């Protein structure tokens, strides 16, 4: 008797569904980005891109369970394309990190710091007890527009100013009284976060008590010298062995 023909085993490609899903999703996101110019869209897509691996893994598992009688053929082109999209998304996700620590941002922070430092110098020049003044600007968040000067600083950006005073005050009240006129000259901005830190350095280099005062906002800046003295921290001199 002639041999009975064996039933033809169906061949199913695994990976095509994941690639099709990836093309649809990324195509929609690309259209949204081109029409809205919203830079958060590619960043959001990059954050959720690992779901492509989840979809690919789910497709492989379901294919092995539902079509175990069929011959499964892995679509390596689809898998490679999915991995390419995932890698591209990782590169996009790293853009904010480069932006945060990139040279353009650091240059802007240093330029604005120098601008504010010069303004404060013009405001406080002629004050003999000031031995050092430094300003540090930190730009907040990720934005396509980097501030170019102090007038463009936004909410969330911060300016930290440190002032060293040659001072031999004997009490926190006396140190606060020395700081208060300087605080009044440095008008706090309403556009960004500002902090001013005062520290005392003994004028004659002696090993004496030193003081620190940090003013964090306009409410504290409007305090009287007597009230500010409660914010002064004291460091006792080191005892000779």
């Amino acid at each position: 008797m002639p041999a009975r023909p064996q039933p033809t085993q169906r061949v199913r490609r695994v990976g095509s569904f994941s690639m099709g899903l990836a093309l649809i999703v990324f195509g929609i996101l690309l259209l949204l980005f081109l029409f809205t110019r919203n830079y958060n869209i590619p960043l959001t897509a990059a954050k959720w891109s690992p779901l492509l691996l989840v979809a690919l893994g789910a497709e492989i598992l379901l294919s092995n369970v539902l079509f175990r009688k069929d011959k499964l053929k892995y679509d390596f082109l689809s898998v490679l394309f999915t991995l390419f999209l995932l890698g591209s998304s990782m590169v996009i996700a790293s853009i904010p990190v480069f932006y945060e620590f990139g040279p353009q941002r650091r240059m802007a922070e240093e330029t604005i710091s120098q601008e504010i430092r010069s303004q404060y110098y013009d405001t406080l020049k002629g004050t003999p007890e000031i031995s050092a003044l430094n300003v540090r600007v930190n730009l907040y968040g990720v934005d396509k527009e980097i501030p170019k000067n102090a007038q463009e600083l936004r909410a969330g950006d911060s300016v930290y100013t440190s002032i060293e005073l040659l001072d031999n005050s004997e009490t926190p009240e006396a140190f606060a009284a020395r700081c208060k006129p300087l605080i009044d000259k440095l008008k706090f901005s309403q556009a960004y976060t500002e902090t001013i830190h005062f520290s005392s350095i003994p004028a004659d280099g002696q090993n004496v008590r030193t003081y620190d005062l940090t003013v964090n906002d306009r409410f504290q800046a409007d305090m009287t010298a007597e009230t500010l003295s409660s914010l002064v921290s004291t460091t006792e001199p080191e005892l000779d062995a």
Side-chain angles (χ1 to χ4, degrees):
M1 295 180 62
R4 299 178 59 183
Q6 296 294 328
T8 304
Q9 191 177 23
R10 297 182 60 182
V11 178
R12 294 186 179 272
R13 298 175 67 89
V14 179
S16 301
F17 174 80
S18 300
M19 185 181 72
L21 179 64
L23 288 173
I24 293 174
V25 173
F26 276 83
I28 293 174
L29 293 176
L30 181 59
L31 284 174
L32 290 175
F33 173 72
L34 292 176
F35 281 100
T36 64
R37 292 293 180 180
N38 185 347
Y39 286 83
N40 289 323
I41 291 178
L43 296 178
T44 302
K47 291 179 181 179
W48 288 96
S49 60
L51 287 178
L52 293 177
L53 294 179
V54 176
L56 180 59
E59 182 180 357
I60 293 174
L61 290 176
L62 289 175
S63 297
N64 281 277
V65 172
L66 299 178
F67 309 112
R68 64 181 63 182
K69 295 182 179 180
D70 299 335
K71 182 180 179 180
L72 300 181
K73 182 179 180 180
Y74 294 98
D75 191 342
F76 288 101
L77 180 61
S78 299
V79 174
L80 289 176
F81 181 76
T82 302
L83 293 177
F84 171 76
L85 288 179
L86 181 63
S88 301
S89 300
M90 292 301 178
V91 173
I92 295 175
S94 67
I95 291 177
V97 178
F98 175 80
Y99 189 92
E100 180 70 23
F101 300 101
Q104 185 179 5
R105 186 184 186 89
R106 290 300 176 214
M107 184 177 297
E109 290 177 339
E110 182 58 34
T111 300
I112 299 175
S113 298
Q114 181 61 42
E115 176 188 350
I116 297 177
R117 190 184 301 119
S118 298
Q119 294 175 358
Y120 285 176
Y121 174 79
D122 293 337
T123 301
L124 300 177
K125 64 181 178 181
T127 307
E129 61 265 28
I130 295 180
S131 64
L133 186 151
N134 187 47
V135 177
R136 185 177 72 250
V137 172
N138 289 318
L139 302 179
Y140 173 78
V142 177
D143 198 336
K144 60 182 179 179
E145 295 294 337
I146 299 179
K148 298 180 178 60
N149 50 58
Q151 287 70 33
E152 295 182 2
L153 290 176
R154 310 140 302 181
D157 297 332
S158 61
V159 177
Y160 179 88
T161 304
S162 61
I163 299 176
E164 294 181 355
L165 299 178
L166 294 173
D167 184 80
N168 284 337
S169 298
E170 297 182 355
T171 63
E173 290 78 11
F175 180 71
R178 299 289 294 275
C179 296
K180 178 59 178 174
L182 303 180
I183 296 173
D184 291 339
K185 290 181 180 180
L186 301 178
K187 301 298 182 182
F188 271 62
S189 173
Q190 301 182 27
Y192 50 82
T193 304
E194 190 168 4
T195 299
I196 301 178
H197 175 77
F198 295 91
S199 59
S200 67
I201 297 178
D204 50 11
Q206 294 181 354
N207 186 22
V208 297
R209 180 183 300 148
T210 57
Y211 302 98
D212 291 272
L213 172 62
T214 301
V215 181
N216 293 303
D217 52 45
R218 287 187 296 156
F219 289 101
Q220 293 181 349
D222 291 337
M223 291 179 177
T224 63
E226 182 180 1
T227 306
L228 281 173
S229 64
S230 62
L231 303 178
V232 175
S233 60
T234 304
T235 302
E236 296 296 335
E238 296 181 359
L239 298 178
D240 295 332

